[in-house]
Amino acid sequence: MSRQTDLQEIQRLTEDAAIDARKLLIQADNLQPGTLQKMLEALCGSFEDTALQLRRLCEQQSPGTGGYKRGPALRPLEVVGSVERIGIDWLHIRINTLLPHCRFQPPTWLTETLVELLDAYEACGGQLPHFKSALLVIEEYSDVDGRHIFDQDNKGWKAVSNAIKGRVIPDDDQYTLSVALLSTRSCQNVCHVTVLDMKDAPDFFSARAGDYSVTGLY
C-alpha cells in the first residue's frame, strides 16, 4: 500500500474509535454493568487496532539507526517486559502487567508485545529453545482484590501461546502444549511466563516450591 493509503487507514481507525468513544460517553449513565463492560472492551479493541496499525507503519517507514534524531527508535523494553533462559533450558518471559480480559475479543496487543520481546531477544544474540512437547506456565503476581472479572477462564492467556507457536513450540494443540494458570498474592502486579519441556515439569514445580533451596525462581 502507498503512504496515503496507509495513513487513510490509520485515519479511518482513529475516527471509528472516536465514534465508539462518543457513543459510550452519551450512553454511559444509562447502561447496565454487563453492557458497559462489553462496550468498554469494544472501545479498547478499537484503540488497540489503531495502535498496532500505527506501530507497523512506523516500523515500515523507519530509516534505521541514526534516523530522525528524535530519541530512541524503540521504547525501552524493560518497561514492557524481558526474556531470559532459566532453570534447565527453560524460557522465561516477564510481562510488566497482568493478563488482560478476553471475554469479548482476543488481546491481539499482548501477542504483538510478546513477539516484539522475542524478536529483540534474538536480535541481541539470544537463542530461543524449541520443544516438541511443552508446558506453558503462566503465573500472575497480583494484589488486586475482587478480580472476579479476571477469572482464569476469562484471561487472555491464548495470546501467549499464539506468540510462541511456530517459534518455541511447533503448534499449540492439546498434545503439544499443556497449560498451567497460577496466581500468587504479591504487590508486584506482574506476569511470569515459563515454557519448559514437559518432562521437566516435576523439576519446575519442585524449584517453585523451594525444594532445591532456590531463593527466587524468577
Side-chain angles (χ1 to χ4, degrees), residues 139-152:
E139 182 166 11
E140 285 190 308
Y141 283 65
S142 171
D143 63 354
V144 180
D145 288 321
R147 291 197 76 208
H148 60 279
I149 297 176
F150 298 107
D151 291 342
Q152 303 289 41

Side-chain angles (χ1 to χ4, degrees), residues 39-73:
M39 291 184 69
L40 283 170
E41 292 291 341
L43 181 59
C44 281
S46 296
F47 279 104
E48 286 164 9
D49 288 343
T50 304
L52 290 174
Q53 291 292 342
L54 187 56
R55 167 51 58 192
R56 293 190 185 101
L57 181 58
C58 286
E59 296 296 333
Q60 291 170 3
Q61 301 300 324
S62 173
T65 304
Y68 298 117
K69 304 298 182 182
R70 292 181 181 175

Side-chain angles (χ1 to χ4, degrees), residues 206-207 209-216:
S206 292
D211 294 348
Y212 298 154
S213 299
V214 177
T215 56

